[in-house]
Amino acid sequence: MSSVREHTASTLEVSDLQISVGDGLVAVQDVSFRIGRGESVGLVGESGSGKTLTCRAALGLLPATGRVDAGRIVLGDGPDAVELTGARRSTWDRVRAGRIGAVFQDPASYLNPSLTVGHQLAEQLRVKRGLRRGAARDRTVELFAEVGLHDPAGVFQQYPHQLSGGMLQRVLIAIAISCEPELLIADEATTALDVVIQAEILALLRRLRASHGLSLLLVTHDLAVVAESCERILVMYGGQIVESGPTEDVLEDPQHPYTRALMGVATIGDWGRRRLDVIPGQPPAAGEKMPGCRFAPRCGYAAAACLAGPVPVTDLGAGRTSRCVRTSASLAEAVPA
Amino acid sequence: MTLPESPPATHAVRPVPEVTSTPAPLLRVRGLSVSYAPPGKGTHLGTGAALRDADLEVRPSEIVGIVGETGSGKTTLARATVGLVAPAAGSIEFAGEDIGGLRGRARRAFRRSGQVQLVFQDPLRSLDPDLTVTDLVREPLDIAGVLSRTEREQRVAESLRLVGLDPDAVAERRPRHLSGGQRQRVSLARAVATRPRLLFCDEPVSALDVSNRNLVLNLLDQLRAELDLAVVIIAHDLSSLAGIADRVAVFYRGRIVEQGPIREVLGDPAHPYTALLTASAPSIGDEERLDPARLRPTGDTPAWPADLGCVFAHRCPFAHDACADQPASPTLPHAPQRRAACHDAAAWRERLDQPSPQKESA
Ligand SMILES: Nc1ncnc2c1ncn2[C@@H]1O[C@H](COP(=O)(O)OP(=O)(O)OP(=O)(O)O)[C@@H](O)[C@H]1O
Ligand SMILES: Nc1ncnc2c1ncn2[C@@H]1O[C@H](COP(=O)(O)OP(=O)(O)O)[C@@H](O)[C@H]1O
Ligand code: SF4
Ligand code: SF4
Ligand SMILES: [Mg+2]
Ligand SMILES: [Mg+2]
């Protein structure tokens, strides 16, 4: 784990973001975070906690029924800064063509089934980067090799349905990095890969960060992946960020009961037979109104104060925050129910 | 149980072994090879088989994990077992019946019966977007033509609850209104609705967060006990799998390179690829783990000729002359329940970090 460096210039700054889906159901609320230039930030949390919607808002790719209700998303710093909330289509096109790359968990839906994967990437390189046909082809094969595809020239000529899930994801990563973006958003991008390839892809992303000053927003369910690849961690629950800070510090001494619960169920590097632990109960659905802390129904430390009203973010110093009424001292005293 | 030593790959179907003390396998796959037909001109697909000479047995109420490389034929084995793709060679027996040879109507009837169910890798692609959750879970029951109307409704609610979903909350929703985790649980509810005898789950938990992943795996563990259900689980999360599976098969480039009791295999891999796999699993500061770099060829190792001999040779730091022949998959001398397709099974450990033995002329 690299120690946390100072990232003065910011690549992405999100403030007080609120996103609703469907009939005005609030799915993400009060989300603020910042990604420094060249920094890698891990976003973790259960399914449905709003990780994907947050990423998609930063890409201008919210689902048809989704919209940003409030807040700001600013890409870049100084003269290059672009306000993305309410941006025009042409701005989004420019941002997605050259400044933000993205990879999602369902690669097949981002490719045209009737064109070879090589053609699709080469075409992008021609249109967006102005390469000639031959150069675009060579660069495509090079990128395919870079993301660890065996036989890149052969893969060039294949159609999406001929590739396994993992191979498709590597094609998508190749496409995402082909525009040499300043920010790469990877939403569960390695979940479908075997751990050998996952380790290679994560190493590749680390290399790209070092060589291109690429910033990374890595969405994953796997705390160990964040531990190995991200300087900072954001823990999301029920549409809010409940804890944030330097990865090493947060994993060493988690302050929010939800982070503790997540670490409690993580199964890492253990080959033993055992009962696999779960966090009892269900996370709140989008739009679900709750009087106080959104984690309270599942929290072993919940007390009356937790239900009195919305729980604000507490700045814990040393770059850490927690959205919990209890301090770590009172957590230590309290016996989880 | 002692498995017979593999004859050379050219023997497509091998003799059934002598009766042993363990229960008869529910699923017995022998010498299975699957090749996807060349999909069209200008592509090189179809030249290599997606699955080669695979042997695998699954006994009643056993959980077998399948791990391995992306694109290595795991899904292909699942598809062949449920009859979605015909074998090029080898046999597939289910409950003593040869199902690999079924064609046309007989094959469709077997699939409709719902005795073997498949849970796909990508729930978005496999669930019809216009159907409600209730429709989706009821569909296999409608196809199998079993149970009365009310029994079906009850079975649907029961199946949803089994996978941790609240029927009242999700029954009328459509797949796009569910999170990825909920969608995968719906496809699992759908698969267990017919109460199959064998469930083939293709990465059922890859898209799930850890808590839901554990919930689903525990659920599969519980179902196998309660419903006498045999389960094959394809997964990349070795540690979660080790929590519940009995045995594991490790795939690499179309071949099963190692198999045996899961905790023995992952704890003490006999095949260099298995060792690379366990060493690459993400960890939070595990100091004792082998550095994956020690299991990769170094920069100055001469490149192994493509497609020569052992499927792993091009990435194996221990490759030597003998590896120009694809190894069989014999049982290990020290562990008769284990098999590994490596000329140097387990012995390669002694050569860790020694200068590469790869032949100079290669
Ligand atoms: N319909 C198809 N037509 C042609 N080739 C295919 C088809 N499906 C799979 N293949 C090829 O067969 C091989 C095995 O694919 P398979 O889907 O079984 O891999 P897998 O082990 O399940 O991989 P993953 O972990 O990515 O899901 C791959 O080389 C793949 O490209
Ligand atoms: N297109 C949509 N329509 C309705 N609800 C949605 C849609 N997309 C997501 N949601 C809901 O918004 C919440 C957050 O979803 P998402 O951002 O996908 O979560 P995550 O990525 O953390 O798993 C969930 O409750 C989910 O059901
Ligand atoms: S605010 Fe209360 S209920 Fe919420 S996490 Fe903290 S202790 Fe638990
Ligand atoms: S047979 Fe040879 S090349 Fe193959 S895994 Fe064993 S040592 Fe490596
Ligand atoms: Mg998501
Ligand atoms: Mg697969």
Side-chain angles (χ1 to χ4, degrees), chain A residues 22 45-49 51 65 105-109 150-151 153-155 157-168 170 188 190-200 202 221-225 227-228 251 258 262-283 285 298, chain B residues 39-40 42-45 68-72 74 121-122 124-125 164-165 173 177 179-183 185 203 206-218 221-222 224 236-246 252-253 262-263 266-268 273 276-286 289 296 314-315:
Chain A
E46 279 164 296
S47 296
S49 58
K51 306 181 298 295
T65 66
Q105 65 191 15
D106 49 345
S109 53
H150 304 301
D151 185 17
V155 171
Q157 302 189 24
Q158 288 175 355
Y159 291 87
H161 74 271
Q162 296 170 329
L163 302 178
S164 70
M167 295 160 89
L168 277 181
R170 282 192 265 183
E188 307 286 357
T190 60
T191 11
L193 305 180
D194 66 75
V195 292
V196 174
I197 303 302
Q198 168 172 280
E200 285 171 12
L202 293 171
H221 296 309
D222 196 335
L223 288 173
V225 166
E228 287 182 351
L251 296 185
Y258 178 63
L262 268 189
M263 292 189 66
V265 299
T267 52
I268 293 157
D270 180 354
W271 313 136
R273 179 173 181 88
R274 63 208 180 274
R275 176 96 196 156
L276 303 168
D277 291 328
V278 304
I279 306 174
Q282 299 278 325
R298 302 170 77 187
Chain B
T43 76
H44 75 295
L45 265 172
E69 215 203 10
T70 280
S72 61
K74 307 181 297 295
Q121 183 162 2
D122 183 346
L124 243 194
R125 264 197 284 180
L165 292 172
R173 288 210 227 164
H177 293 133
S179 74
Q182 292 168 324
R183 277 202 299 269
R185 282 190 271 173
E203 299 194 29
S206 292
L208 302 186
D209 60 69
V210 186
S211 181
N212 279 313
R213 182 178 295 188
N214 289 354
L215 184 122
V216 169
L217 291 174
N218 282 338
D221 195 13
Q222 175 194 328
R224 64 110 157 236
H236 293 306
D237 181 346
L238 308 181
S239 181
S240 297
L241 202 55
I244 61 149
D246 303 302
Y252 186 82
R253 276 215 183 172
I262 187 164
R263 285 160 287 275
L266 298 182
D268 180 26
Y273 175 66
L276 179 62
L277 202 60
T278 55
S280 301
S283 74
I284 300 184
D286 182 349
R289 186 186 296 248
R296 293 181 197 278
H314 67 121
R315 292 176 73 190

Side-chain angles (χ1 to χ4, degrees), chain B residues 23 32 51-52 59 73 85 88 109 143 157 169 183 214 237 257 267 269 272 287 290 299 320 324 340 347 360 362:
Chain B
L32 184 69
L51 189 64
R52 276 180 282 178
R59 290 181 276 272
V85 50
I143 293 171
R183 277 202 299 269
N214 289 354
D237 181 346
V257 295
E287 306 293 329
L290 211 53
H320 51 100
E360 256 116 81

